[in-house]
Amino acid sequence: MTEVRDRVLVIDCVEYDHIDVDASLWLSEGHETQFNSEIDGRDILRANFKKGVLRLQATSYVGVIPINDRVVVRVKPRVPIANLTRMVRDTGHNVLALATLDREYSGRGTADDWAMDIYTDALLDYVDELLDAGLLRAYERREGEGHFPHGRIDVTRTMQRFAARGVPNKAAYSWFERTVDTPANRCVKAAMDVIHGHLSKTRSKPRKGDRAKLARLAGHFHAFEEVAEDPDYRFLDDPQVLGLIPLPDPRSYYRPVLDLSIVILQGVGIALELGGSDVRLRSLLIDTNKLFENFVRVSLAKHAATNGWPAEVVDGNTDAGRIDLYDVPNPLPAPFGTPMAALASRDPGKAQPDVVLKTLDSSFPLIAEVKNTIHGMNADTDTLPERGEVEQAVTYALRYDLPFTLLIHPWIKGTKGLVYVGRVRSVDVYDYRLDLSSDAGVDAALADMASVVAGLAGLDVTQAPTSG
């Protein structure tokens, strides 16, 4: 779907779709791409030829992507994922926040550390903008009594308090005073207090950047020192804070920070799916390839710990799971009479499966490759996995001395669960199609996947677990 909003072209597509947008909107006269600086140089959009026409193509990043000030692309996942937010939350997966575009999100569930980290960055940026544009001030009525009145004389009170008692040289009076101590500012300050608590809480591992954020927050508190604290959150009854009545036009920039402050104070989480109107944040992009891999691995690790597997689930991209890809034989081969030096003696390479099961004796009963690719979407029957994926998985199985290998894909159509693909010489190839299309069925699908993995690995759960 394509639409035009305020002279900005908005295009909807799914991952890896080619995007129909005139090249003049994203190419200069010198045939250089005109992408905003935050996506330029990243593998978020690709320019390539299709049927002789230069076109843009989305990649694995989903979310709202501002190409430039004329074109915005909304990319959705190509596989049915019921709860993208859960996957990000469970894995602690990093998201890419684009400062060049804000978008609206829905609130959902309870704010955990992941959501609070996003809220922290957003609130700090919003308060910077408030201080640059000016804090909201309001005129509040003040009253006084004395020998030197100013403002407006309150005749009735003056007569009652002084004239009737024969005091001719004192008066009661009132005046209006501009103040930053308003419900809106009290709301923002209360949200800053919550963020301060989030940044200050004790953690097993200090997080990079928290000190700088605390220092930045301290400067914000200084700017709000004339704003009173309201521990009872009475400002949440104010119709202007709640958005029931509009803010003054010159102070309309307060709306996003007030919405965000309310979400923070209510402890509401964030839903990453497209659509919503509860809070406005930077556009958050998610690399679904890495997310799917992390989600599978983290889910298997949780099942291993919970069910006492005698093996731990590790990442083959780390030292705990990877091994050398090449051996250097002794003696070296000499096909022409003279032994040939092996490049692997200097660099043996690495075999790095996405998922590795490792036992106490450091053996490896199973390796798996996790691929967020689709196959069979337009076919009437189940189709083979991509050949390159099979070749990689079989190579790793041979290197780990296993008689089988496992691929894990997101289900999109056809058979769910475990599929036997076939045998490549001595290696049996299995493919597990994980169904994430139903939020209610995700836990059952993950439990089934874990049971299949444990069965293929031949794990005996009565042995001593390695984790948990």
Side-chain angles (χ1 to χ4, degrees):
M1 182 180 72
T2 302
E3 57 185 292
V4 178
R5 294 183 179 178
D6 300 326
R7 296 183 180 179
V8 175
L9 185 67
V10 181
I11 301 172
D12 286 306
C13 69
V14 299
E15 295 172 83
Y16 292 101
D17 259 4
H18 282 86
I19 306 166
D20 290 320
V21 52
D22 192 280
S24 65
L25 295 175
W26 54 274
L27 280 179
S28 68
E29 292 183 359
H31 300 95
E32 295 181 348
T33 58
Q34 294 179 314
F35 292 162
N36 82 62
S37 59
E38 290 184 294
I39 69 170
D40 194 15
R42 298 177 183 266
D43 190 27
I44 294 176
L45 294 169
R46 298 172 185 168
N48 57 34
F49 283 94
K50 184 176 182 182
K51 296 181 179 179
V53 178
L54 183 62
R55 304 176 70 184
L56 284 178
Q57 183 184 23
T59 62
S60 59
Y61 283 87
V62 301
V64 180
I65 305 169
I67 295 179
N68 50 44
D69 58 2
R70 293 175 290 178
V71 185
V72 171
V73 179
R74 295 185 298 205
V75 184
K76 298 179 181 179
R78 59 183 170 174
V79 300
I81 297 178
N83 197 333
L84 190 65
T85 306
R86 171 185 171 168
M87 293 176 66
V88 174
R89 186 182 65 242
D90 285 2
T91 59
H93 185 75
N94 290 329
V95 296
L96 175 62
L98 300 181
T100 50
L101 180 71
D102 288 351
R103 55 161 285 212
E104 292 182 327
Y105 292 86
S106 291
R108 179 193 294 168
T110 302
D112 54 8
D113 281 350
W114 174 81
M116 289 301 295
D117 287 340
I118 292 176
Y119 293 161
T120 296
D121 292 337
L123 188 68
L124 290 172
D125 288 343
Y126 273 138
V127 176
D128 280 341
E129 293 174 8
L130 292 189
L131 299 181
D132 287 340
L135 292 181
L136 176 64
R137 297 175 182 269
Y139 284 96
E140 291 195 359
R141 189 173 184 271
R142 300 282 192 257
E143 294 182 347
E145 299 173 349
H147 298 287
F148 304 101
H150 60 89
R152 185 174 182 177
I153 301 293
D154 189 331
V155 177
T156 302
R157 273 202 312 131
T158 298
M159 295 293 292
Q160 292 173 343
R161 296 272 298 158
F162 304 114
R165 299 179 183 179
V167 181
N169 57 349
K170 293 184 71 174
Y173 52 94
S174 63
W175 72 100
F176 284 89
E177 186 175 274
R178 290 188 75 204
T179 177
V180 295
D181 188 17
T182 64
N185 288 329
R186 288 196 288 270
C187 179
V188 176
K189 186 174 184 178
M192 289 161 55
D193 276 326
V194 173
I195 294 301
H196 184 273
H198 169 68
L199 291 173
S200 303
K201 71 179 182 180
T202 303
R203 292 180 173 86
S204 56
K205 293 183 179 180
R207 302 185 316 171
K208 184 179 180 180
D210 279 2
R211 274 189 172 182
K213 292 176 183 178
L214 281 168
R216 190 174 164 195
L217 192 59
H220 292 167
F221 275 122
H222 180 72
F224 277 71
E225 62 183 354
E226 295 181 16
V227 178
E229 295 184 3
D230 183 357
D232 296 324
Y233 294 176
R234 289 170 296 179
F235 48 76
L236 291 179
D237 295 326
D238 185 86
Q240 199 171 66
V241 170
L242 297 175
L244 301 177
I245 61 174
L247 291 156
D249 286 341
R251 295 290 185 259
S252 59
Y253 54 82
Y254 257 79
R255 187 71 266 152
V257 70
L258 288 174
D259 290 340
L260 175 59
S261 297
I262 291 171
V263 168
I264 291 171
L265 295 171
Q266 292 176 339
V268 177
I270 180 177
L272 291 172
E273 288 71 23
L274 294 179
S277 59
D278 294 326
V279 63
R280 193 169 186 84
L281 301 168
R282 290 180 175 181
S283 183
L284 305 173
L285 302 188
I286 305 160
D287 184 348
T288 54
N289 285 350
K290 293 181 180 178
L291 175 63
F292 182 68
E293 176 188 327
N294 291 340
F295 185 62
V296 168
R297 185 168 47 244
V298 167
S299 299
L300 287 173
K302 288 180 179 178
H303 278 272
T306 301
N307 296 284
W309 287 7
E312 62 177 330
V313 178
V314 298
D315 183 354
N317 297 298
T318 66
D319 289 338
R322 65 188 171 204
I323 61 174
D324 290 344
L325 179 60
Y326 297 100
D327 286 327
V328 178
N330 187 14
L332 290 165
F336 303 104
T338 303
M340 298 184 68
L343 296 178
S345 62
R346 296 193 303 270
D347 181 6
K350 295 297 178 184
Q352 303 176 144
D354 297 324
V355 174
V356 176
L357 265 61
K358 185 177 183 180
T359 62
L360 282 170
D361 62 0
S362 294
S363 63
F364 304 102
L366 179 143
I367 58 97
E369 279 294 288
V370 183
K371 302 296 184 182
N372 182 42
T373 52
I374 59 174
H375 44 271
M377 177 187 292
N378 301 315
D380 295 330
T381 58
D382 292 332
T383 59
L384 295 172
E386 293 182 9
R387 180 167 173 169
E389 297 173 358
V390 174
E391 291 172 351
Q392 182 183 29
V394 169
T395 299
Y396 287 164
L398 291 170
R399 190 62 190 89
Y400 281 78
D401 197 23
L402 290 170
F404 70 95
T405 192
L406 177 64
L407 291 163
I408 300 176
H409 287 98
W411 172 84
I412 189 167
K413 186 179 180 182
T415 303
K416 300 178 182 179
L418 187 66
V419 174
Y420 177 60
V421 178
R423 181 174 294 176
V424 179
R425 298 295 288 176
S426 62
V427 178
D428 286 316
V429 179
Y430 297 94
D431 190 11
Y432 193 92
R433 281 89 186 264
L434 177 62
D435 181 12
L436 300 176
S437 62
S438 169
D439 196 13
V442 168
D443 288 329
L446 293 174
D448 180 72
M449 177 181 67
S451 177
V452 167
V453 167
L456 288 174
L459 298 183
D460 180 3
V461 295
T462 62
Q463 299 178 30
T466 62
S467 60

